[in-house]
Each structure stands twice: as structure tokens, then as C-alpha cells.
Amino acid sequence: MITLESLENTETCFLQLWLMLENTRQELNGTYRRFCVRSILKSWFGQAATDDFIWEICTKSELLGLDEQPRPALDPRPHRELLRALVSVALGISTCKVNLRALDAAYSIAFPYSTPINVSKKLRPP
């Protein structure tokens, strides 16, 4: 388990969170539990993950607490928003102040051969 006080707005912290996300996915899958925002936060923070805390994360990330999430390596966008909301709530800052470059760079390090984080951007013809 990690603590909210240990979270930072840095690439190193984001890398740790991306790797923990994949480990949590495998752990929850191995115990036949749903890989959803609620289960992730309960697994990471234990008793500190209250209903109000989970609600705040879900509201900021625009994710539903009990919806099954895809694998981070295949569909990173919802997880990006989850980690962004988590750091925002933990540090008491706006989601706009979360360092997205560091978040995206950490994703590229954690999952070097996976779906690019900006897969939805279309290439324009020359």
C-alpha cells in the first residue's frame, strides 16, 4: 500500500503508479476481482480509500467506480485520467496543474511497446 502523502507530481512517481496499476490489474485478475477504480483505490490505500475519496477521484477522472477498466497497455486514456485525478486530489491542486508531460513520459517508460497514449490523434495527409 502507498500513502497519499507519498504522491508527487513527478515522472518518477508517475512511473511507479503506472507499474503499480499493471501489478494491481494482474493481482485482481488472479483473485477474480473486478479491475475497476474502486478496487484499485481500495487495494492501494486500504482504509484511506473512503467512499467520499473514491467519489472525488471518479468525479475528477469522469470514470465510474465499478466499471471494468481495460488493460493500461491497450487503452491508456482512462488510466491517464485516473492517475491525473489521484495526484490532483492527493496534492490538493487542480487537474490542470498535473504535469502531463511527466505522466505521458512515465507511461512510455512503463509500457514501451504498447498503444501510444495519444492514439486518438489523427494524422493529416500531406
Side-chain angles (χ1 to χ4, degrees):
M1 275 194 284
I2 60 173
T3 62
L4 290 173
E5 294 79 25
S6 67
L7 295 178
E8 299 173 354
N9 196 8
T10 63
E11 185 176 329
T12 306
C13 180
F14 290 130
L15 177 60
Q16 180 185 9
L17 290 173
W18 280 114
L19 294 173
M20 282 178 50
L21 197 60
E22 179 61 23
N23 289 339
T24 303
R25 184 193 68 77
Q26 292 173 0
E27 174 187 311
L28 292 173
N29 189 31
T31 58
Y32 301 104
R33 291 180 18 218
R34 181 179 286 162
F35 182 59
C36 62
V37 174
R38 180 181 261 314
S39 296
I40 293 166
L41 295 176
K42 288 282 189 185
S43 174
W44 287 3
F45 299 107
Q47 296 295 331
T50 62
D51 288 340
D52 291 337
F53 175 73
I54 294 169
W55 178 84
E56 189 173 3
I57 298 291
C58 289
T59 302
K60 285 192 174 197
S61 65
E62 297 181 1
L63 297 171
L64 298 176
L66 293 174
D67 279 358
E68 186 78 24
Q69 296 298 313
R71 292 180 61 174
L74 297 179
D75 189 7
R77 297 297 282 204
H79 303 293
R80 178 188 195 219
E81 293 306 313
L82 170 65
L83 297 181
R84 184 179 183 190
L86 178 61
V87 169
S88 168
V89 169
L91 298 179
I93 60 175
S94 165
T95 53
C96 298
K97 295 195 179 204
V98 174
N99 188 347
L100 289 179
R101 279 188 194 195
L103 182 58
D104 294 349
Y107 173 79
S108 297
I109 294 168
F111 304 104
Y113 302 109
S114 62
T115 305
I117 202 136
N118 290 323
V119 72
S120 63
K121 291 191 176 183
K122 300 194 186 266
L123 296 173
R124 295 184 184 187

